[in-house]
Amino acid sequence: MDHREWDWPAPKLAALRLGRRLAMLVPASQPYRWSFVHIVPSGRSADEAAIREGAARLDSGRSFLITHWEYEADRLEGYDQDLGVVRIRHAEAADESELLAVLREWRLPPAGFDYSWDTVEPV
């Protein structure tokens, strides 16, 4: 894996800094299951205050929660998504460099992540 593989695409890094979730579909343990890793940036209350004012809050000093979830595929379209959900692993990253370290450890290149609204991941 070359170094560029571990660089964030500029729009995705900007999204993280603006407090947007990113997600990636990853292989599941069983054919009837779906598996996702999602990155949730910190700063929710400050972000909500900015949204109320009609703005977004850029913050390059955010921390992150990285979680790998697995769902029963037939429950993704209904209201019972939490039934049968399993948290596979999770990590906390204090900053962007720690986030990259977690992704390297999990072998998930940043370019593979997408905006959560562009994935089938339950939000």
Side-chain angles (χ1 to χ4, degrees):
M1 295 184 191
D2 67 27
H3 179 69
R4 288 182 309 259
E5 186 173 15
W6 297 103
D7 290 340
W8 279 104
K12 303 297 171 60
L13 183 56
L16 287 173
R17 289 177 176 174
L18 287 169
R20 308 294 191 263
R21 278 172 61 139
L22 297 181
M24 177 191 285
L25 182 65
V26 295
S29 64
Q30 301 287 324
Y32 64 91
R33 298 184 68 80
W34 285 64
S35 192
F36 303 91
V37 172
H38 64 209
I39 301 170
V40 179
S42 67
R44 198 81 183 153
S45 61
D47 291 331
E48 289 170 359
I51 289 168
R52 281 193 300 276
E53 296 173 10
R57 187 178 71 88
L58 185 65
D59 184 353
S60 61
R62 292 179 186 274
S63 60
F64 304 92
L65 178 62
I66 309 97
T67 311
H68 180 179
W69 294 99
E70 198 168 272
Y71 297 84
E72 291 183 17
D74 61 348
R75 296 198 183 270
L76 288 177
E77 295 207 13
Y79 293 103
D80 294 329
Q81 297 166 350
D82 291 342
L83 295 176
V85 67
V86 176
R87 185 175 72 180
I88 305 297
R89 57 187 170 176
H90 73 281
E92 293 182 24
D95 57 26
E96 292 171 7
S97 64
E98 283 189 24
L99 173 60
L100 277 177
V102 170
L103 297 182
R104 279 181 196 252
E105 181 182 331
W106 292 9
R107 296 190 173 140
L108 300 172
F113 282 86
D114 211 343
Y115 309 106
S116 61
W117 59 82
D118 285 340
T119 68
V120 292
E121 178 207 20
V123 179

